[in-house]
């Protein structure tokens, strides 16, 4: 399964991105994941908004965003052209 429940603090990375940016960001994320796997011997556990936020109740889950961020060991920003102009 690509998505699974996890406990707060179990996330290796909170991935922040704009879905409107260049596909090159996907390659950067894949490179980060490959480096993580090489160092740790496993795939990273990540928090990715499109998969982890209830798309039917976005406003509720966005209020929990600080908790989701705190529940991850690191923040990975994929900062493309539209990243700074997007709104949550």
């Amino acid at each position: 399964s690509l998505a699974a429940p996890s406990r707060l603090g179990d996330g290796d990375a909170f991935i922040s991105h704009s879905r409107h940016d260049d596909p090159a960001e996907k390659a950067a994320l894949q490179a980060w994941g490959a480096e993580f796997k090489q160092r740790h011997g496993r795939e990273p556990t990540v928090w990715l908004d499109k998969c982890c936020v209830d798309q039917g109740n976005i406003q509720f889950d966005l209020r929990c965003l600080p908790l989701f961020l705190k529940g991850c060991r690191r923040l990975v920003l994929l900062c493309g052209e539209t990243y700074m102009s997007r709104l949550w």
Side-chain angles (χ1 to χ4, degrees), residues 65-82:
L65 202 58
L67 295 173
F68 299 147
L69 183 55
K70 178 70 175 158
C72 296
R73 292 178 188 92
R74 65 185 53 86
L75 172 63
V76 176
L77 295 176
L78 301 175
C79 195
E81 289 183 28
T82 70

Side-chain angles (χ1 to χ4, degrees), residues 18-73:
S18 172
R19 63 186 172 92
H20 301 290
D21 282 337
D22 192 306
E25 289 186 9
K26 181 178 179 183
L29 181 58
Q30 289 173 329
W32 175 84
E35 181 182 338
F36 182 97
K37 185 175 182 179
Q38 184 177 7
R39 285 186 181 180
H40 301 279
R42 62 177 177 80
E43 298 288 341
T45 301
V46 300
W47 190 96
L48 186 61
D49 58 0
K50 188 70 171 178
C51 299
C52 299
V53 168
D54 179 357
Q55 298 298 302
N57 196 4
I58 292 173
Q59 292 305 314
F60 176 79
D61 272 5
L62 287 183
R63 290 185 292 181
C64 299
L65 202 58
L67 295 173
F68 299 147
L69 183 55
K70 178 70 175 158
C72 296
R73 292 178 188 92

